Amino acid sequence: MFTGIVQATCEVVAITKKDGLNTLEIALPPLLTEKLVTGASVANNGVCLTVTKIADDRVFFDVMEETLAITNLSKLTLGSQVNIERSLTFGSEIGGHILSGHVHTQAKVIEVSNTDEHFDLTLEVNPRWMNYILYKGFVGVNGCSLTVGEVTETSFKLHLIPETLSLTNLSECQVGNHLNIEIDSQTQAIVDTVERVLAKRFSQAI
C-alpha cells in the first residue's frame, strides 16, 4: 500500500532487457535505502515493484511483460527520472490517499499550460475510466495522489502546485507523453455499486 506522496525522483542507471521482462536499476538516495530489503515493495511511477537486489545505492526491480504492456515503465531509458515511494508502514501519516500500486491504464498528455501563475496538465484517457475520474476526486498519476480539476467525457485537468513539481517528474511532462493512472478504489466501488443497483432496478421495472 502507498499514499501517493512521492518521496523522490530517482535516476534509471541501467536497463537489462530479457525475454518477458526488463530489469531496472535505480539509484536511490540513502534515505530511501535505509532498512530496505529484498522482497520489499516500492512504487516506481506508481507501479508496485518488488526489490530483487540491493547494491550500495542501486536497487534492482524486475518488470514483467504484462506490466510493461500496461504502464509507461516500458518507455524508460537511461537517465529517466522515476517517481519513487516506499510502501506504507504502520503509524505513517497518510497525506494523500491510499494507492495499491496497481496501474489501471495510461493517460496521454494533450495539453501543458505553464505560466507564471500556474502549471496545468490536461490528460486524455479511455472513456471507460472517466466514470471513476470525478471533479474534485482523487486519482493516482505516475504515483502522485492528485485532485482532479475540470473533466470532459475523455479528459481531465490537473492543477499542480510548486511542491508537486519540485518533488516529482510531472514537471517534465510534454504533449504526447503517457502517464500511469490508478483510479481511486473507493470511487470505483461506489460507482460500480450504484450502476449495478440501477441496472437491476431497471431490469425489474421492464
Side-chain angles (χ1 to χ4, degrees):
M1 303 292 283
F2 305 93
T3 66
I5 304 300
V6 171
Q7 294 170 290
T9 54
C10 299
E11 183 180 355
V12 178
V13 293
I15 302 174
T16 303
K17 297 185 178 182
K18 306 173 184 177
D19 291 340
L21 66 84
N22 288 357
T23 297
L24 302 179
E25 188 175 337
I26 311 292
L28 267 62
L31 179 65
L32 293 183
T33 57
E34 183 179 359
K35 297 183 179 180
L36 185 67
V37 297
T38 56
S41 296
V42 177
N44 290 249
N45 275 359
V47 183
C48 179
L49 298 179
T50 300
V51 175
T52 59
K53 180 182 176 182
I54 303 171
D56 296 324
D57 67 333
R58 309 299 173 87
V59 181
F60 296 74
F61 304 92
D62 286 342
V63 188
M64 303 303 292
E65 189 173 19
E66 181 179 0
T67 303
L68 291 171
I70 295 173
T71 75
N72 63 14
L73 297 186
S74 62
K75 300 179 177 65
L76 295 178
T77 59
L78 297 185
S80 291
Q81 296 293 315
V82 179
N83 290 336
I84 296 292
E85 182 190 353
R86 294 270 302 267
S87 59
L88 181 64
T89 58
F90 181 76
S92 298
E93 179 180 354
I94 301 176
H97 74 284
I98 294 296
L99 295 174
S100 67
H102 297 153
V103 169
H104 294 92
T105 188
Q106 294 183 57
K108 181 179 180 180
V109 179
I110 58 174
E111 184 181 1
V112 178
S113 179
N114 183 7
T115 72
D116 291 337
E117 289 75 31
H118 68 256
F119 189 105
D120 295 344
L121 297 178
T122 303
L123 307 182
E124 182 179 61
V125 70
N126 188 304
R128 65 169 290 202
W129 298 111
M130 287 305 302
N131 287 340
Y132 311 113
I133 300 175
L134 310 175
Y135 177 65
K136 294 300 183 183
F138 293 114
V139 65
V141 181
N142 263 17
C144 306
S145 172
L146 298 172
T147 303
V148 179
E150 177 186 349
V151 298
T152 70
E153 292 183 354
T154 60
S155 67
F156 63 98
K157 184 169 289 189
L158 300 171
H159 306 286
L160 303 181
I161 63 174
E163 181 73 4
T164 300
L165 295 172
S166 67
L167 291 176
T168 75
N169 59 17
L170 297 181
S171 61
E172 302 174 356
C173 284
Q174 298 178 8
V175 172
N177 289 167
H178 287 80
L179 306 178
N180 293 330
I181 300 297
E182 180 181 340
I183 59 175
D184 178 48
S185 59
Q186 293 186 3
T187 300
Q188 184 180 25
I190 292 170
V191 170
D192 287 350
T193 299
V194 170
E195 288 184 344
R196 186 165 56 250
V197 170
L198 292 177
K200 183 178 181 179
R201 288 182 179 178
F202 179 76
S203 63
Q204 292 174 342
I206 295 178

